[in-house]
Amino acid sequence: MWWKKHKWNVIIPVLLVVVLAAAFWYGGGAPGMQGWSVGADIAEQETSVNPPEPSASTESAAVPPEELQSPEPEVSSAPADAETEEAAATESAAATDAPPGSDLGRALTAGEKVALAAELTGASSPGVAQGDTAYSAAQGMDISSSTGKDQYLTDPVPEGKPVPVEPQDAVISDTAYTCTLSVRCDTILDNMSWLSKEKHELVPADGVIFPTTTVTFYEGESVFNVLQREMKGAKIHMEFVNTPMYNSAYIEGINNLYEFDVGELSGWMYQVNGWFPNYGCSRYQLQDGDVIEWVYTCNLGIDVGGYYAVGD
């Protein structure tokens, strides 16, 4: 009785299972038809069914080995070209988006500035490279045989250039002469992004702070004496510090533009008659008709024509 009553409840599910099994087998879902075998490792089965996303390394592995191998670089036996190396160094510095010649970690000392200048120019000692020991000694410089410098660490000057005169030895008379004086900072115009925004208004549109002007000085006066007097007369800010090591005044700022305002190798330099002296401005004794130019450098003098600064 039970079978007659429930036989279809049993037969129908069995038939459904048989039909589904047949469909699975003949539809390609049987073992061996999906790329794996019944006895394969589970990890291999998962990898085969769900392959990983391609990565850079897997893509490279698909490339023939001979195409992956880069050619051996050619090694030249010729000596390195100094100009090429310098150009490469400049390119590298530019790529770092840093101010010209900057060492962002700290301010360089005077000695480090001199060493860096020597490195940039290829000279072992900037002053000696340009100076003449015999000439300088004959003009009164006391050059030490051990250091090649005088007691204030000044290198010999080039032949024909004036040797420093110590401020304490200068005798100023009433005899008046004239010279020309100018102060400019036009190099900053090309590096405004490195100057703090609050100081942008201090930089004139043409970079000229004090135009070329004929001024009076007195016999025995120095470049420093003239700058100090004329800046005060024109109501232009100037700040300096006396440096006993170099026996000279050092100009820190003019028109509120200071050293290091545009990078660690920036600051004020002076030249007289086209020459950048290698000693401080209060040791340069003026002669009638001298042309004094104060310029702001953003790269240790490279950008203004003078490549080293000692004392000032």
Side-chain angles (χ1 to χ4, degrees):
M1 291 293 294
W2 181 88
W3 173 251
K4 288 182 179 181
K5 185 176 180 178
H6 298 285
K7 65 179 179 179
W8 293 111
N9 290 337
V10 174
I11 293 172
I12 290 173
V14 170
L15 289 174
L16 288 175
V17 171
V18 171
V19 171
L20 291 175
F24 175 77
W25 182 275
Y26 292 102
M33 302 182 77
Q34 289 288 345
W36 49 280
S37 63
V38 175
D41 182 85
I42 295 176
E44 293 179 358
Q45 296 172 9
E46 292 179 350
T47 303
S48 178
V49 175
N50 300 304
E53 292 294 324
S55 63
S57 59
T58 56
E59 288 179 5
S60 298
V63 180
E66 59 271 14
E67 293 186 18
L68 290 177
Q69 296 176 355
S70 56
E72 291 292 329
E74 295 183 4
V75 179
S76 172
S77 58
D81 184 348
E83 292 182 2
T84 302
E85 290 183 352
E86 183 176 347
T90 303
E91 261 184 39
S92 176
T96 62
D97 195 27
S102 80
D103 175 359
L104 297 179
R106 58 182 172 77
L108 274 67
T109 64
E112 288 173 326
K113 288 183 179 181
V114 175
L116 179 57
E119 180 181 345
L120 289 173
T121 58
S124 59
S125 176
V128 172
Q130 289 199 347
D132 186 310
T133 302
Y135 166 79
S136 299
Q139 297 299 309
M141 283 188 73
D142 185 11
I143 307 296
S144 168
S145 58
S146 59
T147 66
K149 306 173 186 290
D150 71 4
Q151 62 177 321
Y152 298 115
L153 307 179
T154 305
D155 288 306
V157 302
E159 185 173 354
K161 300 299 182 183
V163 297
V165 176
E166 308 312 329
Q168 65 271 21
D169 297 333
V171 177
I172 300 175
S173 72
D174 294 331
T175 304
Y177 297 108
T178 60
C179 65
T180 60
L181 173 68
S182 64
V183 180
R184 70 178 198 272
C185 62
D186 46 295
T187 55
I188 299 180
L189 295 173
D190 295 326
N191 298 282
M192 291 292 282
S193 61
W194 293 101
L195 182 67
S196 58
K197 290 184 178 180
E198 61 267 22
K199 287 197 172 187
H200 282 196
E201 62 182 13
L202 300 176
V203 182
D206 60 357
V208 177
I209 294 174
F210 186 83
T212 302
T213 306
T214 299
V215 299
T216 299
F217 74 93
Y218 298 91
E219 183 179 28
E221 284 194 314
S222 68
V223 168
F224 173 73
N225 296 140
V226 170
L227 178 70
Q228 186 178 41
R229 180 167 56 245
E230 295 303 322
M231 293 301 98
K232 183 177 181 180
K235 294 181 170 48
I236 296 175
H237 156 271
M238 187 194 85
E239 187 170 340
F240 69 94
V241 62
N242 286 311
T243 53
M245 178 182 294
Y246 302 119
N247 196 35
S248 179
Y250 176 76
I251 306 304
E252 294 183 308
I254 301 176
N255 201 40
N256 281 300
L257 295 170
Y258 284 81
E259 61 173 343
F260 311 138
D261 273 353
V262 192
E264 298 297 346
L265 299 182
S266 64
W268 288 100
M269 298 178 67
Y270 78 102
Q271 60 178 321
V272 181
N273 304 326
W275 177 58
F276 287 86
N278 57 324
Y279 49 87
C281 59
S282 55
R283 297 174 71 200
Y284 193 108
Q285 195 170 89
L286 289 169
Q287 300 295 319
D288 189 30
D290 279 345
V291 177
I292 310 167
E293 299 172 81
W294 281 91
V295 293
Y296 192 94
T297 175
C298 298
N299 193 17
L300 197 66
I302 301 293
D303 52 351
V304 294
Y307 72 84
Y308 63 90
V310 178
D312 191 342

